[in-house]
Amino acid sequence: MTHTASLGPKTATMIERAKALADAEEYQRRLELWHPLLIRLMPGVFA
């Protein structure tokens, strides 16, 4: 997940915004929330 440049600009922006959150727990919550969808959309990146 560290190579957001290879993703589409909207997806990369969403990930970078989530990373910028001050609260690490909120970032983790967002990843868990979106993980099932991200796996289906980009299985090579979010496996």
Side-chain angles (χ1 to χ4, degrees):
M1 262 178 33
T2 59
H3 304 299
T4 57
S6 64
L7 303 173
K10 289 178 110 178
T11 303
T13 299
M14 178 185 75
I15 293 170
E16 292 303 319
R17 284 181 183 166
K19 282 183 183 179
L21 291 172
D23 184 9
E25 289 180 18
E26 177 64 13
Y27 173 66
Q28 188 61 38
R29 186 191 71 76
R30 288 183 185 200
L31 282 182
E32 290 171 8
L33 179 69
W34 287 97
H35 195 254
L37 176 63
L38 294 172
I39 288 173
R40 288 185 187 96
L41 293 174
M42 297 170 276
V45 178
F46 294 97

